[in-house]
Amino acid sequence: MAVSMDFVVAPVRNLFGCTDDDCLRSRMLLGSWIYLVVVMLQSLVFAAPYGKFLKSERMPSILNSFTSLTMSARLGWFLQEVPAFILSSLSIVFLISAGQLETSLVLLPFAVHYFNRSFLFALSVKAGKPVPLLTVVMAFLFCLWNGYLQSLFLITNQRLYQSKLADVLGLLTFVCGMMINIQSDRILANLRKPGETGYKIPYGGMFVYVSAPNYLGEIMEWWGWCLMARNYASFWFAVFTSTFLGSRAYHTHRFYKEKFGGEYPSDRQPLVPKFW
């Protein structure tokens, strides 16, 4: 039985010119795929403007000018990630109150990931280079959209099939991916000692095999969660993450090789050990 959540869904339904949940899901999903194509084309030219790719010769000059407005990295990470955590957490509370415990458990890993990114990861970010306001705003809108999209599909019981095996395999993949992601983020956060600047070659963990294990871990998370959620929205999110972070892993690998030359381990791959 589908769970009614009209007090949240109705205003968004009206915004999209829809009279039912099927229309809303379809239009939001169509918009998501269009956005993925845009991001895919952009990623072929230049990496998203944050971190080591804040300024790029390949990026259009108008975007370079927008990145001059910045804010604290810790605050930026919190603000851009927290919409997905809030929306998924509210949805979990609603699902539990409506007696949909199994569905709330499916949404739980999504909320846990964004709790980590919004609070734990944001607090672990060292005071350093500020982040562009443009990047924070774009990420905030993405997390708001995606948090609503994933919650909507689960609340309206849009799981394509039932499978306990997929639940178990998905959860194991998600947990392994999150562990790789957190470990890799910690290695990167501790590369420089207090007062040091510049870039260093990361070592340890999955950095033995790839240049961007933090991205590999997150991609594993969302394919694992796709196995658990089993709907079109979670599949889109897994494909989007693979496309966006996969291209960023390629740019990261190229950055390291250009910067460090022969010092950089020649047997490291961008994202997938021994393959690519």
Side-chain angles (χ1 to χ4, degrees), residues 60-95:
S61 57
I62 189 171
L63 285 182
N64 269 321
S65 63
F66 278 128
T67 59
S68 60
L69 293 173
T70 60
M71 66 187 307
S72 158
R74 285 180 178 176
L75 179 60
W77 273 106
F78 170 76
L79 290 177
Q80 70 187 36
E81 305 286 328
V82 79
F85 170 70
I86 292 174
L87 286 168
S88 57
S89 297
L90 289 175
S91 298
I92 288 171
V93 171
F94 180 85
L95 286 165

Side-chain angles (χ1 to χ4, degrees), residues 183-275:
Q183 181 195 48
S184 303
D185 280 340
R186 286 178 178 170
I187 290 173
L188 290 173
N190 292 307
L191 272 180
R192 291 188 290 267
K193 297 176 182 178
E196 286 185 331
T197 59
Y199 290 97
K200 291 186 174 183
I201 300 174
Y203 291 97
M206 289 294 290
F207 280 105
V208 172
Y209 306 104
V210 296
S211 295
N214 48 333
Y215 299 150
L216 170 62
E218 188 159 349
I219 290 170
M220 288 176 62
E221 284 184 66
W222 298 126
W223 279 110
W225 193 67
C226 179
L227 278 175
M228 297 174 65
R230 297 191 293 279
N231 58 46
Y232 296 122
S234 62
F235 175 72
W236 167 81
F237 189 29
V239 174
F240 175 87
T241 305
S242 301
T243 301
F244 180 71
L245 295 184
S247 67
R248 195 164 179 84
Y250 166 76
H251 288 294
T252 297
H253 185 69
R254 186 169 66 179
F255 171 87
Y256 280 137
K257 294 190 75 171
E258 289 176 354
K259 186 167 186 64
F260 296 107
E263 293 181 52
Y264 196 70
S266 59
D267 56 347
R268 281 192 196 179
Q269 299 296 321
L271 186 67
V272 182
K274 307 295 183 181
F275 180 67

Side-chain angles (χ1 to χ4, degrees), residues 143-188:
C143 288
L144 184 66
W145 177 284
N146 189 47
Y148 191 92
L149 178 71
Q150 303 303 329
S151 298
L152 174 69
F153 266 75
L154 282 174
I155 284 172
T156 51
N157 285 345
Q158 291 298 304
R159 295 179 86 186
L160 296 175
Y161 59 93
Q162 298 298 318
S163 171
K164 295 298 182 184
L165 178 60
D167 287 337
V168 173
L169 290 177
L171 181 60
L172 288 175
T173 303
F174 180 91
V175 171
C176 287
M178 191 168 188
M179 290 173 64
I180 292 172
N181 178 257
I182 291 173
Q183 181 195 48
S184 303
D185 280 340
R186 286 178 178 170
I187 290 173
L188 290 173

Side-chain angles (χ1 to χ4, degrees), residues 1 6-7 14 19 28 33-34 44 85 100 117 137 141 177 186 196 199 201-203 219 232 237 249 258 275:
M1 182 180 68
D6 274 353
F7 71 97
N14 294 335
T19 57
M28 287 194 71
W33 282 109
I34 292 172
L44 292 174
F85 170 70
Q100 299 290 325
R117 302 300 287 183
V137 170
L141 293 174
R186 286 178 178 170
E196 286 185 331
Y199 290 97
I201 300 174
Y203 291 97
I219 290 170
Y232 296 122
F237 189 29
E258 289 176 354
F275 180 67

Side-chain angles (χ1 to χ4, degrees), residues 74-130:
R74 285 180 178 176
L75 179 60
W77 273 106
F78 170 76
L79 290 177
Q80 70 187 36
E81 305 286 328
V82 79
F85 170 70
I86 292 174
L87 286 168
S88 57
S89 297
L90 289 175
S91 298
I92 288 171
V93 171
F94 180 85
L95 286 165
I96 292 173
S97 67
Q100 299 290 325
L101 180 61
E102 182 178 348
T103 306
S104 71
L105 291 176
V106 174
L107 192 52
L108 184 60
F110 185 91
V112 168
H113 170 88
Y114 280 102
F115 174 82
N116 174 60
R117 302 300 287 183
S118 303
F119 298 96
L120 304 183
F121 177 76
L123 288 173
S124 73
V125 173
K126 294 180 179 178
K129 287 194 302 184

